[in-house]
Amino acid sequence: MRQLRQMLRLAGSGTSSREIAVVLAKVENGMRFAQSCILGRLRNQTFFSLAGANAAIRQALDRVNDHVMRRLGVSRRQLFETVERPALASLPLEDYEFAEWRLARVSTDCHVEFKTFFYSVPHSLIRQQVDLRATARIIEIFHRGKRIAVHQRRYGGPRHGTDPDHMPSSHRRYAEWTPDRFRRWAASVGPETEGLVVAILASRPHPEQGFRTCLGVLRLFRDVTRDRAEAVSARAVEIGGLNCKSIASLIANHKAARHSAEPTAIVDHANLRGPDYFHCKRPRHLARGR
């Protein structure tokens, strides 16, 4: 009954709450009547097999359906055959599959995000809003009611699902963001930052997949000095931290400076006694434990 309620709620938008309530009342009354007739007739019988119980239920159900109703002058079976059966539509060829719908905006890297994974769309739709339909198996992307991309849904492995035909590598004039633009932007900060951007773009199968990371990195560097950004960039390339999370951690924890090859000198302090202290001769009263 709960499933029936959900189906009726999902029926056409023209279905009012009152109409749904009327349909539910009729269905519940019919189920209550059939249950009373069948259980009332079989309540004193004992069955020793499931097949025997089903056969008895079938006989009682046929009796209910073939009974002529005094108010209408016809049986329930006759009403079904003459009124309801002609109106029934054929069952769909495919099983129903639950789907989630989301609104998404296409990023500069030609991808949309769904639950931390990214799926490509044609590059001509950069910054456009699209509809995303996600099932357990596939991701479908629609623009103005037309399906423009379909991908197998990802649960692990690489985070980008990219169709090479969607990427604008051979059609740069259609894209506002290009690898050269990111390199020039990074070079305005310094050579180490430019090297970091080049490394990020080179680490992706398609350079466009690194656009989102480059944007995030360059925005992080807005809040730090140029020298600090250069030190962070150098350290990030050194350790292979080519993502926003690693670079943000370097900035926050001040770990960007390269480790020096020379050992750090020990600071001279009065409280540092040194090794000679432990070899000196102790007073006699201390040695005896007094």
Side-chain angles (χ1 to χ4, degrees), residues 185-207:
W185 188 358
S188 66
V189 179
E192 298 291 350
T193 305
E194 181 182 6
L196 173 62
V197 167
V198 171
I200 292 173
L201 297 176
S203 66
R204 297 335 193 242
H206 300 275

Side-chain angles (χ1 to χ4, degrees), residues 57-75:
I57 292 173
R58 171 61 64 184
Q59 292 177 2
L61 182 61
D62 290 340
R63 182 185 178 88
V64 172
N65 289 332
D66 294 333
H67 176 73
V68 178
M69 297 177 286
R70 287 182 297 177
R71 185 169 62 86
L72 299 178
V74 294
S75 66

Side-chain angles (χ1 to χ4, degrees), residues 6-28:
Q6 294 175 351
M7 292 173 62
L8 289 174
R9 289 193 185 98
L10 295 175
S13 58
T15 304
S16 65
S17 299
R18 183 178 180 83
E19 292 172 340
I20 292 177
V22 171
V23 172
L24 286 174
K26 291 182 178 180
V27 172
E28 290 173 354

Side-chain angles (χ1 to χ4, degrees), residues 165-233:
D165 295 335
H166 293 164
M167 308 311 293
S169 298
S170 58
H171 304 279
R172 295 296 181 195
R173 61 182 179 275
Y174 294 112
E176 179 181 355
W177 300 96
T178 65
D180 290 337
R181 179 173 180 177
F182 280 108
R183 281 195 288 267
R184 290 195 301 270
W185 188 358
S188 66
V189 179
E192 298 291 350
T193 305
E194 181 182 6
L196 173 62
V197 167
V198 171
I200 292 173
L201 297 176
S203 66
R204 297 335 193 242
H206 300 275
E208 292 79 9
Q209 293 178 356
F211 287 180
R212 190 190 304 263
T213 302
C214 291
L215 279 173
V217 169
L218 294 172
R219 286 170 180 168
L220 287 174
F221 286 168
R222 291 177 180 176
D223 300 327
V224 300
T225 63
R226 177 172 297 186
D227 292 340
R228 192 63 183 166
E230 285 288 274
V232 168
S233 299

Side-chain angles (χ1 to χ4, degrees), residues 42 47 49-61:
L42 303 180
F47 302 97
S49 67
L50 181 61
N54 287 334
I57 292 173
R58 171 61 64 184
Q59 292 177 2
L61 182 61

Side-chain angles (χ1 to χ4, degrees), residues 113-162:
E113 180 183 4
F114 181 74
K115 295 189 176 179
T116 71
F117 290 91
F118 302 91
Y119 304 91
S120 66
V121 300
H123 59 82
S124 58
L125 297 176
I126 289 177
R127 293 184 176 177
Q128 296 293 316
Q129 184 171 277
V130 295
D131 296 301
L132 187 147
R133 179 179 182 268
T135 68
R137 298 180 296 110
I138 61 173
I139 299 291
E140 296 177 287
I141 304 168
F142 299 84
H143 182 250
R144 296 180 180 178
K146 180 181 178 181
R147 190 171 75 172
I148 56 174
V150 58
H151 297 271
Q152 184 177 0
R153 183 169 177 176
R154 291 173 176 265
Y155 292 94
R159 297 179 62 193
H160 287 78
T162 305

